[in-house]
Amino acid sequence: MADGEVKSNILTLASFWILGLCNNFGYVVMLSSAHDILKSNSAALGGNETVSISSTQDVFKRECNYLSTGVILLADIMPGLIIKIFSPFFGLYINRRLSLCIALTTASFITVAKADTELVAAFGVALTSMASGLGETTLLSYMVNYERTVITSWASGTGAAGILGALTYAGLTGVFHLSPSTTMYLMLSVPFLMGVSFWVLLEHPKKDEIPTMPSISPDPSTNNQSFSNKFSYIPKLLKFMIPLGLVYFFEYLINQGLFELVYFEKIWLTHSEQYRWYQVIYQLGVFTSRTSVSLFPIEKIWILTILQGLNVVYFLIETLYSFTPNIYIIFALIGYEGLLGGGSYANTYHNIMKKVPKERQEYAMAMTSLADAIGISLSGLLAIPLHNQICKIPK
């Protein structure tokens, strides 16, 4: 391989790593700040961070936000879910789509930073969801024009977004004592970096090198036919979509329905700090597994699904009985949970690039991304009543 080709390949991998980082960064920051967003607005809603089960005995009090962080999860995923439903059936106008992603991300950080009510904050989070959903379906589809190794690079970048997003928020608010609003303003550098990576660093394929696919055909009659063809191809993608969707359903039910209720009293971390560092450790596990997909490829994703389901059982019992002796065991289990989730994501798309016919890959990548959004959305819907029900149960 010539030096020029090596340099081009390195820049391509670096560009997709940065794109993955920037695309998921805001999404992760919003989830990491979920506890603080709800806590800061709790008084306005007439609630307290602590829900009292008994007025006479503190031992029966369980610390709960007025609303579950599943509320933030829904705002952070539902708009993206809608985008992912329709995106695979429209043309891949890459420059227009990326411009819209960057604009939405910028608007989301500003909106959340200025939010003085929960409704405004939720709207800002929803903008992040739209940007992330559009960016993921667009860039996954665009990857079919490159070597399969870009999947590992992209997945690693999205995993790094988890670590850096959660760690950045926890560090700026906890270590440097910046307000959540100031922290959000600092995040405006992320959409700028995304634009530089795509339009400056990334070497794009020439038009005559891009395969002609039904999804980008300018012929209206072909587009109508391709819609039918695409829709009929969905059953063949279920072997990828169902395991991926279930893994994400299980892990986000833990993250946004149960994490907040798993806490240890009278240790060196407050309840809010414990929640933030749970997010950091979880994202560390995600990053590790997404980065190592080329070294440890997995074809039977359903195994990861079963293991993640067992994690739900453990954390549910923990929220009810608090039987785990120390927080380090919880840290280890959360890291393990992240490994399963990240491994499922990276291996699913790696298998698509490997097994799906080339002419179907652009559509398959975009449509399969719908599966994790559906799983996350369902987990958010369940997390809210589950959270409220557990909060009513004495410790």
Side-chain angles (χ1 to χ4, degrees):
M1 184 179 291
D3 291 342
E5 293 179 351
V6 172
K7 181 180 179 181
S8 176
N9 188 50
I10 292 175
L11 284 177
T12 297
L13 294 177
S15 298
F16 274 106
W17 190 92
I18 296 172
L19 288 169
L21 171 72
C22 295
N23 189 72
N24 283 33
F25 197 89
Y27 172 81
V28 172
V29 167
M30 295 303 178
L31 290 184
S32 296
S33 64
H35 190 275
D36 291 339
I37 292 173
L38 291 174
K39 181 179 177 181
S40 64
N41 288 286
S42 181
L45 290 171
N48 298 308
E49 185 183 7
T50 301
V51 176
S52 178
I53 305 301
S54 171
S55 60
T56 57
Q57 293 181 313
D58 289 343
V59 71
F60 293 121
K61 291 182 179 178
R62 187 186 292 272
E63 288 188 28
C64 295
N65 273 323
Y66 185 77
L67 294 173
S68 164
T69 53
V71 173
I72 299 299
L73 175 62
L74 287 177
D76 211 5
I77 194 63
M78 290 299 289
L81 171 62
I82 296 173
I83 293 291
K84 288 184 176 183
I85 290 174
F86 295 102
S87 178
F89 299 99
F90 288 90
L92 188 65
Y93 301 104
I94 189 69
N95 291 306
R96 298 178 189 177
R97 288 193 181 197
L98 259 294
S99 298
L100 181 57
C101 287
I102 291 171
L104 288 171
T105 303
T106 301
S108 70
F109 286 134
I110 295 175
T111 302
V112 173
K114 289 180 172 293
D116 54 1
T117 67
E118 190 171 77
L119 181 61
V120 175
F123 177 71
V125 173
L127 292 176
T128 304
S129 174
M130 294 174 64
S132 179
L134 180 61
E136 183 175 31
T137 58
T138 299
L139 290 169
L140 281 172
S141 296
Y142 196 59
M143 284 178 212
V144 302
N145 301 304
Y146 298 87
E147 296 295 327
R148 195 188 308 164
T149 50
V150 300
I151 290 292
T152 303
S153 184
W154 162 269
S156 176
T158 58
I163 297 177
L164 295 178
L167 189 59
T168 298
Y169 184 82
L172 291 176
T173 56
V175 178
F176 294 97
H177 305 292
L178 297 180
S179 68
S181 294
T182 301
T183 301
M184 290 298 171
Y185 283 123
L186 291 177
M187 300 300 170
L188 290 174
S189 58
V190 174
F192 173 78
L193 179 60
M194 187 176 193
V196 171
S197 177
F198 186 78
W199 284 299
V200 178
L201 293 181
L202 182 62
E203 182 176 336
H204 299 273
K206 299 177 182 178
K207 290 185 178 181
D208 57 356
E209 294 177 352
I210 300 178
T212 302
M213 300 183 185
S215 62
I216 57 176
S217 172
D219 184 0
S221 62
T222 305
N223 274 333
N224 291 333
Q225 184 180 6
S226 69
F227 180 88
S228 176
N229 289 338
K230 290 176 178 181
F231 194 81
S232 65
Y233 195 72
I234 292 178
K236 295 184 180 180
L237 298 177
L238 293 180
K239 62 183 177 181
F240 303 111
M241 297 177 69
I242 292 176
L244 180 64
L246 285 174
V247 165
Y248 271 78
F249 171 77
F250 291 142
E251 71 181 273
Y252 276 85
L253 184 60
I254 295 171
N255 291 4
Q256 306 307 132
L258 303 177
F259 265 9
E260 187 184 6
L261 303 174
V262 177
Y263 61 93
F264 293 79
E265 298 177 345
K266 299 178 181 179
I267 64 172
W268 71 99
L269 295 172
T270 66
H271 186 183
S272 295
E273 289 171 340
Q274 289 177 54
Y275 177 84
R276 294 171 194 165
W277 289 107
Y278 287 166
Q279 295 290 341
V280 173
I281 294 169
Y282 160 76
Q283 298 295 351
L284 179 61
V286 170
F287 171 72
T288 301
S289 57
R290 289 191 180 191
T291 303
S292 60
V293 62
S294 295
L295 298 176
F296 305 102
I298 300 173
E299 292 193 5
K300 298 179 179 179
I301 307 298
W302 59 266
I303 296 177
L304 305 181
T305 304
I306 294 174
L307 294 176
Q308 199 71 291
L310 294 175
N311 278 339
V312 173
V313 175
Y314 183 95
F315 279 99
L316 179 60
I317 296 174
E318 169 62 23
T319 61
L320 296 174
Y321 301 104
S322 300
F323 64 92
T324 305
N326 63 69
I327 197 171
Y328 295 108
I329 296 176
I330 295 296
F331 284 165
L333 288 171
I334 289 173
Y336 169 64
E337 177 212 353
L339 286 173
L340 296 177
S344 176
Y345 178 92
N347 281 282
T348 294
Y349 294 111
H350 190 267
N351 289 337
I352 289 174
M353 291 280 280
K354 182 179 179 181
K355 298 180 179 181
V356 173
K358 183 69 176 179
E359 65 273 11
R360 294 283 191 176
Q361 286 179 7
E362 179 184 309
Y363 168 72
M365 298 286 273
M367 180 54 65
T368 301
S369 71
L370 177 63
D372 63 78
I374 292 175
I376 295 172
S377 299
L378 292 176
S379 70
L381 291 172
L382 181 57
I384 296 171
L386 178 63
H387 166 276
N388 295 340
Q389 195 62 38
I390 293 175
C391 283
K392 296 177 182 179
I393 301 174
K395 289 177 62 178

